[in-house]
Amino acid sequence: MDTDALTPGLLQELRATRTYPALSLTMPTHRRAPDNAQDSVRLRNLVAEAARRLDEDPRVTPEARSAVKAQLDRAVAEVDQRRAQDSLVILADADEYQIWQLPRTAPERVVLSDSYLTRNLVAAKAGAQPFRVLTLSAEHACLFSGTNDGLTPEHRGGFPLTAPHEAPNPQREERIGDTPSTYSSEDARNFLRTVDEKLRAVTAADPRPLFLVGLAPALSLLDEVGESAKPAIGRVAKGTTAGTSGPELAKELAPALEEWRRDTATGIRTRLDGAQSSHSFAGGLDEVWLAVKEGRAGLVAVEEHFERTVRVTDGHLEPVGPDVAASSDDRIREDIVDELIEAALDKGCEVAFVADDSLADHGRLAAVLRF
């Protein structure tokens, strides 16, 4: 699975307490040859490490050990290197396994616990800047899921939708004198009411910024018959067909996406500048970490590719060099930035990824404080 599949409901399921041991395996991967040749070797080594940990853990019963190993083996056999992105996450317990291929790097790690490690999933989802696109006409409605990597059709909540076709009625045409306009017919209104209802359900389950693409009369009628499309952050008055592909749609949407990302970045900078002026600002990893843990952060901005390995000492973060191995010190956090992002989102904090070097004066990340 990829980050598009990570809905709030699924994330809640993954975080649920499970019968020990729940195994989480994470590792960086490579999208292209020749670098990806090392990924299979790295995965085998991590699987061997996981097996050793299961064998040596006195809390793991023989039955659980055997079952988790079997699930892990099934997962490894199913990994498709052709779909590799920047990291691989495998989650397994005695009853199931899940494979996640993510557009954000993750450290090599094997964790046994009573719940799955989800911070890498959450950080990858936030960093992908997910959005949704609805293409619309009187005949069809399609949803696309969008990230920084492109657009893919979204088959959920009843989408794609096709309007029911009725046979022509000559007697009706004689009574009204002509065929009705496409967007003034009651059939079109009923179809778009259905679209509105389905879209509201999808948005409630997985809220995202929404873009609309369709002819102006279609977009106007959707506004008239429902509420779901009114918060859309971008509209493109362009006709589409039921067969419009993701790459084709991405070309039409590119200017609106660029404007959205530019406006978002400007808004983040404005909020950070205002926070500095009002003394409600935190900068640097340690300050932001404390603000997040105490629930004082309202917005956390982090550079897109910022990573840091730290040692947690008395609640503070001390950066360490790459020569310090996590296995030699349980206070070491290789993925502290992703851990911070997950903690921030858990506390209702907004997280924004910004361009590399844009926060160089503030230790690569900053926060606007609530108090």
Side-chain angles (χ1 to χ4, degrees):
M1 289 187 282
D2 57 32
T3 51
D4 280 348
L6 189 65
T7 64
L10 179 54
L11 182 60
Q12 186 176 14
E13 290 179 22
L14 293 177
R15 286 174 168 165
T17 301
R18 298 169 181 269
T19 301
Y20 189 89
L23 185 148
S24 303
L25 181 154
T26 71
M27 58 172 273
T29 54
H30 302 83
R31 298 179 185 235
R32 287 174 290 276
D35 294 333
N36 60 5
Q38 63 186 280
D39 293 347
S40 59
V41 176
R42 179 175 283 174
L43 178 57
R44 285 199 301 270
N45 290 340
L46 279 177
V47 169
E49 169 68 11
R52 182 188 66 78
R53 297 271 297 277
L54 287 166
D55 289 340
E56 296 178 357
D57 192 331
R59 293 171 292 177
V60 181
T61 66
E63 294 80 8
R65 181 181 304 118
S66 177
V68 174
K69 284 184 177 181
Q71 295 290 352
L72 182 58
D73 288 342
R74 294 188 185 102
V76 171
E78 195 176 305
V79 171
D80 185 355
Q81 284 190 307
R82 295 170 300 179
R83 298 185 64 248
Q85 298 190 48
D86 299 317
S87 67
L88 171 69
V89 175
I90 295 178
L91 309 175
D93 65 9
D95 301 313
E96 66 168 9
Y97 67 86
Q98 293 190 21
I99 302 167
W100 294 83
Q101 292 174 303
L102 308 176
R104 181 177 174 85
T105 190
E108 284 192 15
R109 197 170 184 193
V110 174
V111 176
L112 300 180
S113 184
D114 59 359
S115 64
Y116 289 138
L117 181 71
T118 60
R119 66 184 61 139
N120 305 108
L121 304 182
V122 173
K125 174 92 170 181
Q129 294 183 302
F131 58 92
R132 185 170 284 119
V133 183
L134 174 70
T135 64
L136 186 69
S137 76
E139 301 294 327
H140 69 85
C142 300
L143 274 183
F144 287 80
S145 177
T147 67
N148 295 332
D149 289 332
L151 293 165
T152 55
E154 194 168 6
H155 300 281
R156 60 181 298 188
F159 288 96
L161 292 168
T162 302
H165 289 279
E166 294 185 3
N169 186 338
Q171 293 180 341
R172 180 180 183 277
E173 293 176 13
E174 289 176 3
R175 288 196 303 270
I176 65 175
D178 196 1
T179 55
S181 168
T182 301
Y183 293 103
S184 65
S185 72
E186 192 59 30
D187 290 341
R189 297 177 70 85
N190 287 334
F191 175 61
L192 293 193
R193 287 190 186 101
T194 300
V195 173
D196 176 73
E197 178 185 344
K198 301 292 187 183
L199 182 59
R200 277 190 281 118
V202 170
T203 301
D206 184 17
R208 298 187 190 185
L210 174 67
F211 291 85
L212 303 176
V213 181
L215 294 176
L219 302 184
S220 177
L221 184 56
L222 184 62
D223 283 336
E224 183 180 334
V225 301
E227 299 292 328
S228 62
K230 291 181 179 177
I233 60 172
R235 295 171 181 246
V236 177
K238 175 73 175 182
T240 63
T241 70
T244 297
S245 68
E248 291 170 334
L249 184 59
K251 291 180 182 178
E252 300 294 342
L253 198 62
L257 279 173
E258 180 61 28
E259 181 180 3
W260 168 55
R261 288 169 175 150
R262 185 171 57 249
D263 290 347
T264 299
T266 299
I268 295 300
R269 287 195 298 270
T270 300
R271 292 170 65 181
L272 291 173
D273 290 343
Q276 284 186 282
S277 300
S278 62
H279 305 290
S280 57
F281 177 90
L285 189 53
D286 195 48
E287 281 190 27
V288 175
W289 169 264
L290 290 175
V292 166
K293 288 296 186 182
E294 294 169 358
R296 294 185 293 116
L299 164 70
V300 170
V302 57
E303 290 186 4
E304 177 65 36
H305 296 102
F306 176 55
E307 300 174 12
R308 184 69 76 240
T309 299
V310 302
R311 179 183 289 107
V312 181
T313 305
D314 297 328
H316 291 273
L317 306 183
E318 173 193 347
V320 298
D323 56 321
V324 178
S327 58
S328 64
D329 188 339
D330 59 10
R331 296 173 300 168
I332 298 297
R333 301 281 210 284
E334 292 180 87
D335 55 351
I336 192 62
V337 177
D338 285 0
E339 186 174 342
L340 184 150
I341 291 167
E342 184 183 45
L345 292 170
D346 280 346
K347 293 182 179 293
C349 177
E350 180 183 354
V351 174
F353 285 81
V354 298
D356 290 342
D357 295 327
S358 62
L359 295 174
D361 293 339
H362 306 295
R364 308 297 177 184
L365 81 167
V368 177
L369 304 181
R370 295 187 176 112
F371 57 90

